[in-house]
Amino acid sequence: MHRLILVNALIFAVLASAIGLAYYGYSYTNEMSTRERAIILDTMQDLAEEKVIGIESQLVDSENKLFAAIDLEPLPDLETARRSQSAAVQSIFVLDEHLEVVPGGYASSPRRDREAGIAFRKMFLSSIAPTLPLRELELDVRGHVHTTWNGLPYLFSFVRRMVGDRTYYIVLEADLSHLIGVVFPQYFAVRSPRLYQVIDDRGELVYGFDFKDASAGVVVEQPFVDTVDLWRVRVAQRDAGGQAARGRRKAIDFILIGLSLSVILAGLGILALAMRREKRANELKSEFISNVSHELKTPLSIISMFGEMLALGRIKSPAQATEYAEIIWRESVRLARLIDNVLDFAKIERGVDVYEFAEGDVGEVVSRALELSVHRLQKAEMTIESDLDPDLPPVRIDANAFTLAVLNLIDNAIKYAPEGKKIAIRLHRDGDQVNLTVRDWGPGIDPEEHERIFERFYRARAVRLKPIRGSGIGLALVEHIALAHGGGVSIENASDHGAIFKLWLPVARTSRAHAA
Ligand code: ADP
């Protein structure tokens, strides 16, 4: 009992550790892949930041140089000044405190033609300049506005200056086509393990690869701050293959964890099953011991009782003496058979090779078993119909073991089917085998128990409550003997009452060769 509790606790402990281990493996794999993803994300974020800082400082630097180059009183030639930083700047406005252009205070790159230049200047002065936060600016500090006019993007950078008590505003219009066409390509290399894009505030592509989030996997974003602040840089991982490989690795990890868990669970299941079987076998064994002791006791007490009567001369006639002697003889034969059964069974259980095979006539063996059963049949008031084919080929047989098997089948029919009054035995050839059928007209056996009755110690439910003695080893022995002969045994119920046991043996190879 204690052992059982211990083993159950052990199974439970193994189960708990297996589940714990699987959970640990699962979360470890998960954590690793999350960590890996976080590292990739961090690297990409750093990269995006680096790019934004690089681009902005290049832009701001050239603007600052230009601001520094513009003295106000007197005003230098703006066109010359603009050309010195021509790449980054599209146009320059120098405005007075009323936001009017001071004389000579406008220059524009020839990239915008004359007419467009005039139109832009008009629009700038009437609509854009009043909206710029010029007046709130601290002195000499660069401010900027990134905005859209008539569907086109503009970037204005500006400073407020004082000369004496006069205020000036210098406004630079950045050349965004230069930014997109020349600066971005310098920073966002095509041949890099990452994909870059710049998008505007509506998510529309301004520059770069039009990658979709899903296919690109990990994507990070970094907005511009000091310049085109409506735009954002987005970076994606180029190696979708690498991601797929990582996904595959994770899946394999999970499959392996699942597999090992299933193996452990299956192992525990089998162990639990084996334990249940063992427990059942132990129960059957103790039942067997009490059955066998009972079976030994009854014939022994009959023998001793009639032996005593004979010894004390308590007999009325010589005929009675013969009858008592016969009873003693019959019971001792039964006793001997039971002991044979138990001993053979014990040998088989121990794995000892108990058989001695020789080529022989199975018909003769069966006839002998029938002779040995005559008395028992008579006592049970049963008859036996035998139909033994006289022309059977020789078989490889252990005559003693096979007799025991046949006796067991006949004994069972006598024990369990006496009301049928008869038993039929048939022995005939069927192809390469010799079949022996033993049929009775008793209750038959519940089909659910057909397989189990050949198990050692098993007794059918129907007989357990009846006063029919038995040990449950007879049929186990019959099956063992049949298998040892290279044959087998089966049971079926007859359509009209009764059990039919079929025992078959292979025909000896030599006679098969003959037939061929
Ligand atoms: P035992 O007869 O000692 O109980 P066996 O192994 O010979 O053990 O038989 C196993 C069980 O099969 C029996 O207990 C009985 O329930 C059932 N059985 C065997 N032969 C017959 C039969 N001819 N008719 C009905 N039941 C049978």
Side-chain angles (χ1 to χ4, degrees):
M1 192 63 196
H2 277 303
R3 224 186 76 204
L4 203 69
I5 294 173
L6 199 75
V7 173
N8 276 330
L10 209 66
I11 289 182
F12 185 75
V14 172
L15 190 69
S17 351
I19 290 173
L21 214 61
Y23 176 73
Y24 173 77
Y26 171 81
S27 47
Y28 180 77
T29 309
N30 242 349
E31 196 189 313
M32 282 323 277
S33 74
T34 318
R35 210 176 279 177
E36 201 174 329
R37 197 183 144 92
I39 291 173
I40 293 174
L41 268 177
D42 274 359
T43 321
M44 279 163 54
Q45 193 73 53
D46 287 352
L47 210 69
E49 235 176 275
E50 214 173 85
K51 302 279 177 192
V52 165
I53 291 173
I55 292 166
E56 292 204 309
S57 58
Q58 183 177 338
L59 208 66
V60 172
D61 266 7
S62 56
E63 286 176 355
N64 281 345
K65 273 190 197 136
L66 198 51
F67 284 133
I70 299 173
D71 289 331
L72 289 166
E73 289 179 2
L75 199 62
D77 177 23
L78 283 191
E79 181 50 26
T80 317
R82 190 198 63 77
R83 241 180 268 137
S84 71
Q85 301 299 328
S86 75
V89 177
Q90 167 68 35
S91 56
I92 308 175
F93 292 89
V94 179
L95 309 175
D96 61 18
E97 56 228 5
H98 308 296
L99 302 186
E100 305 274 348
V101 180
V102 302
Y106 170 68
S108 173
S109 130
R111 281 191 292 272
R112 188 179 275 149
D113 66 32
R114 227 181 99 75
E115 265 172 42
I118 292 170
F120 174 74
R121 182 182 152 145
K122 224 169 119 190
M123 179 185 77
F124 175 78
L125 291 174
S126 62
S127 314
I128 300 176
T131 68
L132 298 178
L134 298 172
R135 295 198 168 89
E136 301 92 76
L137 273 181
E138 274 181 49
L139 277 181
D140 292 319
V141 173
R142 175 186 172 276
H144 79 279
V145 164
H146 183 209
T147 183
T148 317
W149 281 98
N150 298 337
L152 290 174
Y154 293 96
L155 170 64
F156 299 105
S157 309
F158 31 78
V159 288
R160 185 162 74 96
R161 293 256 180 88
M162 298 272 304
V163 180
D165 57 354
R166 270 201 304 246
T167 304
Y168 293 94
Y169 304 104
I170 307 170
V171 181
L172 306 181
E173 184 212 346
D175 184 350
L176 292 184
S177 60
H178 176 262
L179 180 69
I180 295 170
V182 180
V183 182
F184 282 173
Q186 286 168 10
Y187 282 86
F188 304 132
V190 181
R191 278 175 210 285
S192 103
R194 313 256 145 61
L195 298 172
Y196 297 97
Q197 66 174 207
V198 178
I199 54 166
D200 65 15
D201 47 340
R202 284 168 302 149
E204 305 253 327
L205 190 69
V206 175
Y207 170 83
F209 289 94
D210 190 7
F211 51 78
K212 299 274 171 295
D213 281 7
S215 66
V218 192
V219 177
V220 299
E221 280 189 7
Q222 180 70 29
F224 288 92
V225 184
D226 286 331
T227 57
V228 278
D229 56 17
L230 293 180
W231 294 353
R232 282 165 287 159
V233 171
R234 299 180 89 223
V235 187
Q237 193 76 345
R238 188 196 282 278
D239 71 328
Q243 293 211 23
R246 273 192 292 281
R248 253 200 317 274
R249 216 175 51 214
K250 195 170 156 184
I252 290 174
D253 282 355
F254 285 156
I255 290 173
L256 284 181
I257 291 171
L259 266 179
S260 10
L261 194 64
S262 330
V263 168
I264 292 174
L265 290 182
L268 287 180
I270 291 170
L271 189 68
L273 214 70
M275 273 174 56
R276 251 187 54 189
R277 282 227 177 130
E278 183 65 24
K279 198 168 150 246
R280 174 93 190 110
N282 279 341
E283 282 166 12
L284 288 173
K285 248 182 213 170
S286 30
E287 221 171 279
F288 162 75
I289 290 170
S290 80
N291 281 338
V292 167
S293 331
H294 190 75
E295 271 208 76
L296 290 174
K297 230 165 122 188
T298 317
L300 258 181
S301 52
I302 296 174
I303 290 171
S304 101
M305 186 175 86
F306 287 97
E308 190 185 339
M309 284 201 212
L310 280 178
L312 298 178
R314 286 205 205 128
I315 29 172
K316 293 187 188 117
S317 62
Q320 203 176 30
T322 318
E323 189 194 337
Y324 287 0
E326 254 175 25
I327 293 174
I328 290 174
W329 179 46
R330 209 169 54 218
E331 288 302 316
S332 60
V333 167
R334 197 163 113 198
L335 206 57
R337 193 170 308 154
L338 178 70
I339 289 169
D340 271 355
N341 254 2
V342 174
L343 289 183
D344 278 6
F345 181 76
K347 273 195 213 153
I348 289 165
E349 282 284 282
R350 271 186 281 130
V352 179
D353 190 6
V354 287
Y355 301 105
E356 283 170 18
F357 292 103
E359 247 176 48
D361 180 356
V362 59
E364 244 171 51
V365 176
V366 173
S367 302
R368 211 180 116 227
L370 286 175
E371 274 164 30
L372 287 171
S373 304
V374 168
H375 282 287
R376 279 178 51 74
L377 283 161
Q378 269 173 2
K379 192 167 172 244
E381 296 174 355
M382 292 179 85
T383 54
I384 200 152
E385 286 170 8
S386 60
D387 168 14
L388 313 181
D389 184 346
D391 293 325
L392 287 173
V395 292
R396 205 173 137 266
I397 193 168
D398 175 330
N400 282 337
F402 203 77
T403 310
L404 193 67
V406 179
L407 281 176
N408 265 303
L409 293 178
I410 296 174
D411 274 1
N412 277 351
I414 298 174
K415 251 187 343 188
Y416 301 111
E419 68 273 31
K421 294 289 165 212
K422 63 174 177 181
I423 301 172
I425 287 208
R426 220 178 136 234
L427 185 67
H428 64 103
R429 181 179 183 164
D430 183 5
D432 274 347
Q433 62 190 35
V434 174
N435 291 343
L436 170 77
T437 49
V438 179
R439 157 167 204 189
D440 61 51
W441 276 261
I445 296 168
D446 183 351
E448 271 183 21
E449 296 182 280
H450 278 185
E451 287 205 3
R452 300 215 60 190
I453 53 162
F454 293 102
E455 282 175 23
R456 53 199 188 141
F457 313 133
Y458 189 84
R459 307 199 68 216
R461 279 190 292 271
V463 307
R464 273 183 234 157
L465 299 177
K466 288 190 187 164
I468 306 177
R469 286 177 287 155
S471 54
I473 57 172
L475 288 180
L477 208 60
V478 171
E479 185 179 48
H480 198 278
I481 292 168
L483 293 177
H485 281 75
V489 60
S490 67
I491 159 80
E492 62 183 282
N493 283 342
S495 53
D496 59 333
H497 255 247
I500 306 174
F501 282 91
K502 183 174 150 196
L503 214 169
W504 66 91
L505 304 179
V507 168
R509 212 172 285 155
T510 47
S511 72
R512 250 186 269 170
H514 263 298

